Amino acid sequence: MHLIASTASLLALVSSTFGAPLTKREAIPSYVVDYAPMVYLYSADPYRPADIKSQLDPTHPEVDFTAVSGAPDPLTLDNLSKLNNLGDVYLTSDDNVETNPAWLYGVTPNDDHKTDGAVSCAIIVNDHGAGQVDVFYMYFYAFGMFYFDDLRSIYSCIDFGGDFFGLKALGFDGFNIGNHVGDWEHNMVRFQDGKPQAIWYSQHANGEAFKYSVVEKYENAIRPVVYSANGSHANYAIKGDHDHAIPNINLPQGLIEDHTDAGPIWDPTLSAFYVKYDADSSIFTAYDENTPIDWLKFTGHWGDQQYPKSDSRQETILGIDGTQKYTGGPTGPEDKQLNRTKVCPDNGNDCILRSILVP
Ligand SMILES: *[C@@H]1O[C@H](CO)[C@@H](O)[C@H](O)[C@H]1NC(C)=O
Ligand SMILES: *[C@@H]1O[C@H](CO)[C@@H](O)[C@H](O)[C@H]1NC(C)=O
Ligand SMILES: *[C@@H]1O[C@H](CO)[C@@H](O)[C@H](O)[C@H]1NC(C)=O
């Protein structure tokens, strides 16, 4: 037995003996809430923000389409990261999603703009020192998809022997593509000395950065406004239609359109997990003792793996590769580059900090 224990292990011993944290928990900096985005959901989007914890109930972990053995039982937000040892895990729906189980649809915010009964946001604070603090507002939806209604452009880009109006007459209005169980999107607000400087809006595999001063403010006050697109939940700074090529869906640029409008307004701060992130140690610390944090280290996927061609649920538009009806579930907050140099994630694209509002 070692006679000289390190301070850390002594502290751990004292802490485990008395069961109480030794240091007082930090308070959430007020600007984290004061300048938090307000999110306009798309009026007709059936897929609303969802409870993060509840995603574990109707799903089970699979690797390569096979249920894993050795997963914690029960699987909870306090032990989800144990799955990391079991392979590239997909939290896979117990139900056939084509039967539209109710849990896919989440919770519409109430009159107070709260997703009542659903903790559907994780707010993660990364203090870089010297007054610079990045705050991530991570939004969770149980299902995401892309509704493709621009049939005309499909016709213009492929050599297809039919005609647009003929297909319309047969009742084709559009296609759901890129459906996936689990959907994570986010904003990041960068603060300097408690004052917001810039905001990142995630959109599919990339997004847009704006100066805080130029974005729309909720009720002309201080909270940035965000428009969440129909089905895809990509986040935009202005409402209307947005032309964006979706990575992994290989149609020519400009053909894909996201739709946003000022539907129900969601205040993500009202039902959220608040967590501090230390980049050097990769440690998450909750601001409140009831907030689970282990799940933030889960590196697997929050939905089913992309169904293979042989799965009867899988389809493509007119056989075009890259228009799969179902794609794989996304990874979680841990995979969103929580320690950024620029406001944008480092993904090979230029980081343009926009000084005017654009779609
Ligand atoms: C998982 O977490 C729950 C409580 O949150 C606990 O009851 C259970 O024992 C944990 N399982 C493992 C294997 O950690
Ligand atoms: C929004 O998505 C739904 C499917 O969830 C679709 O039925 C509807 O047509 C879409 N609206 C627009 C404007 O694309
Ligand atoms: C986190 O970002 C800061 C820049 O603000 C950098 O100096 C530091 O090395 C990064 N830490 C890690 C672990 O990457």
Side-chain angles (χ1 to χ4, degrees):
M1 186 186 164
H2 295 286
L3 293 177
I4 303 173
S6 70
T7 313
S9 60
L10 263 180
L11 288 178
L13 177 69
V14 172
S15 158
S16 65
T17 308
F18 298 103
L22 290 174
T23 49
K24 211 167 161 286
R25 282 178 192 273
E26 277 179 54
I28 302 162
S30 55
Y31 54 81
V32 169
V33 176
D34 293 346
Y35 293 98
M38 286 291 269
V39 183
Y40 279 107
L41 303 171
Y42 187 76
S43 51
D45 183 358
Y47 302 108
R48 299 305 193 196
D51 187 48
I52 297 167
K53 164 173 57 65
S54 296
Q55 196 79 350
L56 305 183
D57 301 336
T59 62
H60 62 277
E62 289 192 0
V63 171
D64 279 334
F65 304 101
T66 308
V68 298
S69 57
D73 183 17
L75 188 58
T76 69
L77 294 183
D78 292 315
N79 57 36
L80 194 64
S81 80
K82 290 206 164 74
L83 296 178
N84 294 351
N85 302 323
L86 303 177
D88 191 15
V89 168
Y90 287 83
L91 298 176
T92 305
S93 176
D94 299 336
D95 305 296
N96 176 356
V97 296
E98 303 234 300
T99 64
N100 300 318
W103 60 272
L104 296 182
Y105 296 93
V107 173
T108 297
N110 64 15
D111 291 343
D112 298 325
H113 315 309
K114 179 179 180 181
T115 50
D116 207 17
V119 180
S120 37
C121 178
I123 298 177
I124 303 174
V125 178
N126 180 359
D127 186 343
H128 286 255
Q132 186 190 302
V133 176
D134 288 351
V135 182
F136 293 82
Y137 303 86
M138 303 275 183
Y139 312 131
F140 184 67
Y141 303 80
F143 195 74
M145 51 94 94
F146 187 77
Y147 187 75
F148 185 87
D149 58 3
D150 193 2
L151 290 181
R152 204 179 281 266
S153 40
I154 279 224
Y155 278 85
S156 63
C157 79
I158 59 160
D159 182 18
F160 180 71
D163 75 289
F164 170 74
F165 294 102
L167 200 65
K168 266 276 202 218
L170 287 173
F172 287 97
D173 277 329
F175 302 83
N176 290 339
I177 59 176
N179 292 265
H180 51 89
V181 176
D183 201 12
W184 282 103
E185 293 287 343
H186 70 278
N187 286 115
M188 188 268 267
V189 180
R190 173 161 286 181
F191 293 87
Q192 182 63 43
D193 303 321
K195 300 269 182 300
Q197 308 296 312
I199 175 168
W200 169 256
Y201 291 76
S202 76
Q203 298 153 1
H204 308 290
N206 195 26
E208 291 172 299
F210 293 90
K211 288 186 176 161
Y212 168 79
S213 57
V214 302
V215 298
E216 182 183 339
K217 309 298 188 306
Y218 185 63
E219 293 181 336
N220 295 317
I222 59 174
R223 297 181 65 174
V225 165
V226 177
Y227 295 92
S228 168
N230 190 29
S232 79
H233 308 127
N235 295 307
Y236 292 95
I238 64 177
K239 65 182 163 196
D241 296 339
H242 302 268
D243 272 348
H244 284 267
I246 302 186
N248 303 323
I249 297 187
N250 305 314
L251 292 168
Q253 178 132 27
L255 294 185
I256 295 288
E257 237 181 35
D258 264 330
H259 302 288
T260 64
D261 69 7
I265 184 101
W266 174 35
D267 181 348
T269 67
L270 299 178
S271 194
F273 292 133
Y274 288 82
V275 174
K276 188 169 173 153
Y277 176 67
D278 180 75
D280 291 335
S281 60
S282 304
I283 288 177
F284 293 96
T285 316
Y287 284 102
D288 157 338
E289 62 188 10
N290 299 318
T291 296
I293 48 168
D294 177 80
W295 65 278
L296 287 158
K297 291 178 286 180
F298 173 54
T299 54
H301 304 257
W302 288 77
D304 302 30
Q305 188 168 359
Q306 178 167 326
Y307 303 143
K309 266 188 189 155
S310 57
D311 188 309
S312 61
R313 293 168 291 188
Q314 189 59 287
E315 290 169 21
T316 51
I317 301 179
L318 307 170
I320 303 172
D321 201 31
T323 63
Q324 270 72 16
K325 183 172 180 188
Y326 288 96
T327 54
T331 51
E334 189 269 348
D335 199 28
K336 301 294 189 281
Q337 299 194 18
L338 298 176
N339 192 53
R340 297 182 187 177
T341 309
K342 296 185 174 154
V343 182
C344 318
D346 184 7
N347 59 12
N349 296 298
D350 288 340
C351 185
I352 304 162
L353 185 57
R354 293 165 173 80
S355 327
I356 49 162
L357 273 181
V358 289

